[in-house]
Amino acid sequence: MFTATEIKELKEREDIERYNKIRYLIYVEKLGYEPKNGLGLEKDNYDDFSFFFGAFFRKDLVAGARLIDGRRVDLPVEKFIEFGIKENALEVSRPVQLKEKMPNLRVFRRLYLEMYNFSVSNAYQYWYANIKKIFFRSLRMRGMHFFSQVGPLLKREDNNFFPIKDDKENKDVFVPVVAKLKDVGSFIADNEDFFKKFFSDNGNAS
């Protein structure tokens, strides 16, 4: 039953390594984004500056993500943007799931709500992410009021959601985005079907 699902911050080394194993399955073996290694764990330097979150079903970790702490390290998204990172920011990164073990697709929304509540309670103000363009468009169509200080390639409009760079020919291109956390909570609560797609195992966030 869905009530058997537990959503929590991952603090124990064993739980974090279970998350790293799922990352390896997705980002190394399935997508080939990272090189193979003998440990079967997908890790990088940002893990030392991240908070980890997971969804457990019957004691099995079935989904997870990390929040990279912009107070302690330069965020990965900085490589792709043309403006300065805002203070008190986190980057939503490395979302994964094991589809065959998922009890209920509401897990995605609950996981993001857990990360949102953590972020707000610790006085963070912004979320960054590097997401596929197709999901950027889905967000915008659903009225998500993300914003960005766009570079010279795009004009600025108020209260909308912009990529920093655009490639109309490539739907898989990743685009950096930023959101005010005060605008995120109600969207997460009201758009469960979107998170079924966004929080997939297809590498939709960095």
Side-chain angles (χ1 to χ4, degrees):
M1 295 178 61
F2 180 61
T3 54
T5 304
E6 180 184 10
I7 311 293
K8 68 178 184 179
E9 183 182 358
L10 306 180
K11 295 183 178 180
E12 301 297 327
R13 179 177 178 180
E14 179 182 356
D15 288 337
I16 294 172
E17 286 194 350
R18 292 164 76 180
Y19 166 63
N20 292 140
K21 287 180 180 179
I22 301 176
R23 279 168 50 178
Y24 190 89
L25 290 174
I26 304 303
Y27 288 92
V28 177
E29 293 188 350
K30 179 178 180 178
L31 299 174
Y33 287 171
E34 303 294 342
K36 293 183 178 181
N37 63 66
L39 297 176
L41 303 174
E42 197 277 301
K43 301 172 67 176
D44 59 32
N45 292 335
Y46 293 107
D47 284 338
D48 294 333
F49 307 98
S50 295
F51 306 101
F52 304 94
F53 297 84
F56 293 81
F57 180 62
R58 295 173 181 168
K59 298 185 179 181
D60 289 331
L61 182 66
V62 296
R66 68 179 178 183
L67 293 174
I68 304 174
D69 186 3
R71 293 173 180 169
R72 294 184 288 158
V73 68
D74 292 339
L75 299 178
V77 75
E78 290 193 70
K79 303 173 188 174
F80 309 103
I81 62 178
E82 300 174 358
F83 57 87
I85 289 287
K86 292 184 174 294
E87 296 179 0
N88 292 322
L90 296 159
E91 182 168 341
V92 182
S93 176
R94 288 296 197 261
V96 292
Q97 66 157 316
L98 294 176
K99 283 184 177 181
E100 67 276 10
K101 294 186 177 182
M102 293 296 290
N104 191 302
L105 292 174
R106 293 191 182 96
V107 167
F108 309 135
R109 182 170 60 90
R110 291 183 62 202
L111 186 59
Y112 267 70
L113 280 172
E114 182 72 19
M115 293 193 295
Y116 168 79
N117 290 332
F118 169 88
S119 303
V120 172
S121 65
N122 286 279
Y124 290 94
Q125 295 177 294
Y126 303 95
W127 270 3
Y128 284 83
N130 198 35
I131 66 174
K132 284 186 177 179
K133 184 175 179 180
I134 188 172
F135 295 99
F136 152 77
R137 288 175 173 168
S138 182
L139 275 170
R140 185 166 57 184
M141 289 176 62
R142 292 172 184 274
M144 180 56 189
H145 296 304
F146 278 55
F147 77 97
S148 65
Q149 299 175 32
V150 299
L153 296 179
L154 297 170
K155 66 181 181 179
R156 182 184 181 89
E157 295 180 24
D158 292 332
N159 296 321
N160 214 324
F161 173 49
F162 289 93
I164 303 307
K165 296 181 180 179
D166 204 350
D167 183 349
K168 295 181 180 179
E169 302 300 322
N170 185 359
K171 291 183 178 180
D172 287 335
V173 69
F174 286 83
V175 292
V177 299
V178 57
K180 287 183 178 179
L181 277 171
K182 69 177 184 179
D183 298 328
V184 169
S186 60
F187 179 84
I188 294 174
D190 296 339
N191 286 271
E192 181 176 309
D193 57 339
F194 167 76
F195 281 90
K196 295 175 187 177
K197 293 196 301 181
F198 175 74
F199 198 63
S200 73
D201 62 354
N202 294 315
N204 294 319
S206 61

